[in-house]
Amino acid sequence: MVGIAWRHRRSCLGLLAQQCALLALTLTGLGLMGLGIDTIRSQVDSTAPAPAWPGGWQPPAETSVMTAIVALAGAMLSIALVRGGMNYWHAIATARLVQRQIVVDLRSEVYEKLQQLSTRFYREQSSTSIINRVTGDAQAVRQFIECMVLQMVILVLSLGVYMIYMLRIHIGLTIACLATMPLLWTISMRFCRVVRPAYDDNRRLMDRLLQVVTENVRGVYVVRGLSREATELERFRAANLAAKNQQRFIFSRLSRFTPTAEFLSCLNLAALLGYGGYLVITDRLALGTGLIVFSGLLQQFSSQISKMVNVINSMQQSLAGARRVFEVLDAPLDVVDLPTARGMPTPRGELSFERVSFGYRP
């Protein structure tokens, strides 16, 4: 699957560059908001420290506070508009890459490989399983590339940038707010180990369900002629129930994992309010460029963690289908041409028999 992503490396790198630009715009917007709050605080509280403008730059002395606030608000609005347009373009570019290029090319490759495989492969695999690999499982590879190659890289990059920014603001507050990360990582790894084989079983059960439906539709005249409707209905109910129970097992694990991750994120916010508030009260941390910006960074960090929860679940689901696709692509060919084989010339539509005899043996 990494090889498939490597074929489209230019598009993937372009999408990653767009995400880096969006990340920079997000951080810039947070910094401007914190600067505006510090500017307002210095105006209403003469004892408050002066706002720390970036790079040591200071607005001209004749600039009023209201003018500075309006300028900061306008800059934030401009950043929001640019981010909205970039998000739209990023969504279009991602859909164009994974749907128009990756999925279409992969389906063609799987279908071409099916034309080359011997009849032994078809004897060992059910027709419904093969159909699922060309249709549904090809989408699973798309989902894996979208989740693992694009979203996971972006998530890791975003988390790293947010953490560095928070450490620059206050190291102790960052450690206090992210103390639950090792526990969240442990829970995530346990979740992956549990649901990965469950998704494999789910694919197999869905193949079985589709097989029952296909056999019934193809043999409907036999079923109706022999009055086997009740038996076939019972077969379908059993296959459907097995698939439902397996899906329920996956949902039960996911329903436990998601709120646990969200609860750990809430603990981070509680640590921010308690310890961060103490730092602001004791003048060890600025309100705007300190606590407010840190709060925005922590919210972005928590949202990325929530996205990672969904990415991990989608990745485990896509791995089950991706393995089935590559079972076809990696299947050995039983019949291959010799290196010295000559290609068949263009046929002319004529057939001749030369030196052919016919006779009976006593």
Side-chain angles (χ1 to χ4, degrees):
M1 286 181 284
V2 177
I4 295 177
W6 181 252
R7 298 179 201 168
H8 307 279
R9 54 187 178 277
R10 290 187 178 180
S11 299
C12 291
L13 290 176
L15 293 175
L16 292 177
Q18 293 177 16
Q19 280 296 325
C20 290
L22 287 170
L23 180 60
L25 290 174
T26 300
L27 295 177
T28 303
L30 286 174
L32 292 177
M33 181 181 65
L35 185 60
I37 292 175
D38 283 344
T39 302
I40 296 173
R41 187 187 182 193
S42 64
Q43 179 67 19
V44 300
D45 185 2
S46 58
T47 62
W53 291 81
W57 178 83
Q58 293 290 335
E62 64 273 10
T63 304
S64 64
V65 175
M66 195 62 195
T67 302
I69 295 299
V70 171
L72 291 173
M76 292 177 61
L77 179 60
S78 301
I79 290 175
L81 292 174
V82 173
R83 287 185 71 250
M86 290 189 64
N87 277 321
Y88 171 79
W89 176 252
H90 178 77
I92 296 297
T94 302
R96 184 183 296 115
L97 170 63
V98 298
Q99 292 291 351
R100 292 187 181 180
Q101 299 180 27
I102 293 178
V103 174
V104 173
D105 293 345
L106 185 61
R107 283 176 177 165
S108 299
E109 288 183 25
V110 175
Y111 191 78
E112 182 180 357
K113 185 60 177 290
L114 289 174
Q115 308 306 309
Q116 302 172 5
L117 293 174
S118 64
T119 56
R120 181 181 61 83
F121 177 83
Y122 291 91
R123 289 196 303 267
E124 296 175 352
Q125 304 289 338
S126 66
S127 59
T128 53
S129 175
I130 295 174
I131 293 172
N132 260 343
R133 294 173 195 237
V134 179
T135 56
D137 291 337
Q139 286 286 344
V141 177
R142 183 272 307 172
Q143 190 177 16
F144 177 85
I145 294 176
E146 185 176 358
C147 292
M148 184 64 188
V149 178
L150 297 178
Q151 293 188 27
M152 186 60 73
V153 173
I154 293 168
L155 286 175
V156 172
L157 176 64
S158 301
L159 292 175
V161 171
Y162 291 144
M163 182 175 294
I164 293 173
Y165 203 157
M166 288 188 290
L167 287 171
R168 289 186 58 188
I169 294 176
H170 199 279
I171 297 177
L173 184 59
T174 302
I175 295 175
C177 291
L178 302 183
T180 59
M181 287 300 103
L183 180 58
L184 179 60
W185 177 261
T186 302
I187 295 174
S188 300
M189 291 301 100
R190 292 186 59 184
F191 173 76
C192 292
R193 286 195 298 266
V194 171
V195 299
R196 182 176 299 174
Y199 277 120
D200 290 335
D201 293 340
N202 183 258
R203 291 282 180 175
R204 177 179 55 81
L205 292 173
M206 291 304 297
D207 281 347
R208 174 58 182 165
L209 180 62
L210 182 59
Q211 181 180 2
V212 172
V213 175
T214 304
E215 290 177 353
N216 184 269
V217 172
R218 289 178 177 176
V220 62
Y221 296 107
V222 178
V223 173
R224 299 295 297 274
L226 300 178
S227 300
R228 299 281 295 178
E229 293 90 343
T231 303
E232 291 299 319
L233 181 59
E234 187 60 32
R235 286 183 61 208
F236 177 81
R237 286 175 177 172
N240 195 24
L241 181 61
K244 184 192 75 170
N245 291 337
Q246 180 64 27
Q247 195 71 40
R248 179 182 295 175
F249 172 81
I250 296 174
F251 286 158
S252 66
R253 295 300 182 271
L254 183 62
S255 62
R256 298 175 190 175
F257 176 61
T258 303
T260 301
E262 293 177 352
F263 173 73
L264 294 177
S265 299
C266 292
L267 291 180
N268 299 336
L269 294 176
L272 171 68
L273 181 61
Y275 187 37
Y278 166 76
L279 293 175
V280 172
I281 292 174
T282 56
D283 290 333
R284 300 181 184 179
L285 186 68
L287 176 62
T289 55
L291 184 63
I292 299 300
V293 172
F294 195 98
S295 174
L297 291 170
L298 187 60
Q299 288 181 352
Q300 291 290 336
F301 192 93
S302 300
S303 67
Q304 297 299 320
I305 292 295
S306 299
K307 289 181 181 179
M308 184 172 290
V309 171
N310 296 327
V311 168
I312 290 174
N313 178 62
S314 300
M315 188 169 59
Q316 298 305 316
Q317 185 177 4
S318 62
L319 279 173
R323 278 193 292 267
R324 288 155 49 90
V325 170
F326 283 94
E327 284 179 2
V328 176
L329 294 177
D330 298 335
L333 297 177
D334 295 335
V335 181
V336 294
D337 292 334
L338 294 174
T340 57
R342 293 182 300 175
M344 180 180 177
T346 304
R348 295 177 300 175
E350 299 177 359
L351 183 63
S352 62
F353 293 91
E354 299 179 0
R355 291 178 292 182
V356 177
S357 61
F358 174 80
Y360 292 99
R361 287 188 178 182

